[in-house]
Amino acid sequence: MEIVFLGVTVAAAAAAAGIVALLTRNRPSRNRSLLAALAAVIVGGAAIAARPAIELHYFNTNDDYAWSQIRTEILKRYPPVGDMFALDTTIEPDLRKHLVPVFRAHRANMGDPSTLQDVAKATMAVFRSKIVPVAVTGTDEAIVAWGDKTVPTLQAFKNASPDACGDYAMTGVNRVSNNPTLDAALADSQRAVIAAYKSGNPDNKMPTAEELGTAYEQARTLAEPPFSDADLRAFQDLKSQSKVRQCDMMLRLFAAIDRLPVKQKAAIYRSIMADS
């Protein structure tokens, strides 16, 4: 598009200069040259000024162009997504089908946080169907490596905004735009998902309810500070708590899980990944 637009601009400016030169052929040479140059500048400037509208029109009418722009933005912000495309050839076309309408709907105001929210939801839906079913069968070590990204990611969200941390802790959706620290933390988590996917093996089964319950009970005893009776009651209805409380409680919980032995950590994180 860049080369095409540049070519069209140059051609239009040259054509304008040529037409003016032809129409003023009876004038002195110097005047003809000045008028032709002025025409070229005016037409070229008009083309440049019209570029945003032209690009928006092309974005809204050409799916290939729209996806090329969206794809570039996604890979710039989250490079590991390119590796995910390589894992399964159906991921990119599926993501394209979901994201082109979303980006078109928000094209007039890409800075709106709701844009990021809608993009995240559409992306998560694709990855849940394509990546998670295989990644969840990864080795214990790969699953734990993925789960261990949770605390630093939540902490990065908390540093950016406690409310955003609560949102992410409860939904997995990032509603913070233009934050390189958060983008880096999320990219690390994506790389860990890819590693789990690559280590996938159907023999790696989901934990039983008893194994999961035992792991969570032990994690509860390792929380710092310990969970009070009020905390445990709050966990039963965490969605109704304030976002700040949601953030803090989930940080404490995952920090406690991180202190468990690998087998128990893997049981919890495998279950969380399956439900993500």
Side-chain angles (χ1 to χ4, degrees):
M1 183 66 177
E2 187 71 29
I3 294 176
V4 172
F5 184 83
L6 178 61
V8 170
T9 301
V10 171
I19 292 170
V20 169
L22 180 63
L23 294 175
T24 59
R25 60 184 178 277
N26 294 325
R27 296 194 179 191
S29 177
R30 181 180 179 184
N31 288 347
R32 291 174 61 201
S33 297
L34 288 174
L35 288 171
L38 180 61
V41 169
I42 291 173
V43 171
I48 291 172
R51 179 171 180 170
I54 294 171
E55 288 184 334
L56 179 57
H57 173 75
Y58 208 55
F59 186 93
N60 285 329
T61 58
N62 187 296
D63 288 352
D64 289 339
Y65 173 70
W67 177 242
S68 72
Q69 299 300 299
I70 295 168
R71 191 182 197 278
T72 297
E73 288 301 313
I74 291 174
L75 297 185
K76 183 189 301 181
R77 186 163 185 172
Y78 302 121
V81 172
D83 295 328
M84 290 186 181
F85 289 163
L87 296 176
D88 181 341
T89 57
T90 67
I91 291 175
E92 184 170 352
D94 203 3
L95 198 58
R96 166 177 164 155
K97 180 182 71 177
H98 284 78
L99 289 187
V100 167
V102 171
F103 271 85
R104 280 176 174 163
H106 290 280
R107 187 66 175 177
N109 187 12
M110 294 301 291
D112 189 333
S114 65
T115 304
L116 188 62
Q117 179 177 336
D118 287 350
V119 169
K121 287 180 178 178
T123 302
M124 285 173 64
V126 173
F127 289 156
R128 280 171 181 156
S129 66
K130 303 290 185 180
I131 297 292
V132 170
V134 178
V136 78
T137 67
T139 64
D140 284 353
E141 291 74 17
I143 295 294
V144 167
W146 169 77
D148 284 348
K149 305 296 182 185
T150 307
V151 169
T153 299
L154 285 174
Q155 189 61 56
F157 270 97
K158 184 178 181 179
N159 293 341
S161 162
D163 281 359
C165 173
D167 278 339
Y168 182 76
M170 299 304 294
T171 67
V173 173
N174 173 20
R175 295 188 173 93
V176 180
S177 59
N178 300 320
N179 188 309
T181 301
L182 279 182
D183 289 348
L186 292 170
D188 282 346
S189 182
Q190 290 166 351
R191 291 186 185 95
V193 171
I194 292 170
Y197 184 104
K198 290 179 177 178
S199 72
N201 185 331
D203 291 338
N204 294 321
K205 305 297 184 182
M206 294 296 296
T208 65
E210 183 179 356
E211 290 170 335
L212 196 57
T214 299
Y216 269 115
E217 179 58 27
Q218 185 170 345
R220 184 185 68 79
T221 66
L222 297 175
E224 294 179 1
F227 288 121
S228 66
D229 290 341
D231 289 333
L232 296 178
R233 286 194 297 271
F235 264 118
Q236 295 174 0
D237 190 22
L238 195 55
K239 290 182 179 181
S240 68
Q241 305 298 313
S242 70
K243 296 186 186 301
V244 172
R245 186 161 171 77
Q246 289 169 349
C247 175
D248 287 340
M249 292 186 67
M250 293 301 281
L251 264 172
R252 287 165 62 194
L253 173 62
F254 279 101
I257 293 171
D258 281 353
R259 300 185 183 100
L260 291 171
V262 169
K263 196 71 178 175
Q264 290 177 306
K265 287 172 70 173
I268 291 176
Y269 288 139
R270 200 180 296 279
S271 175
I272 290 173
M273 182 184 285
D275 292 337
S276 65

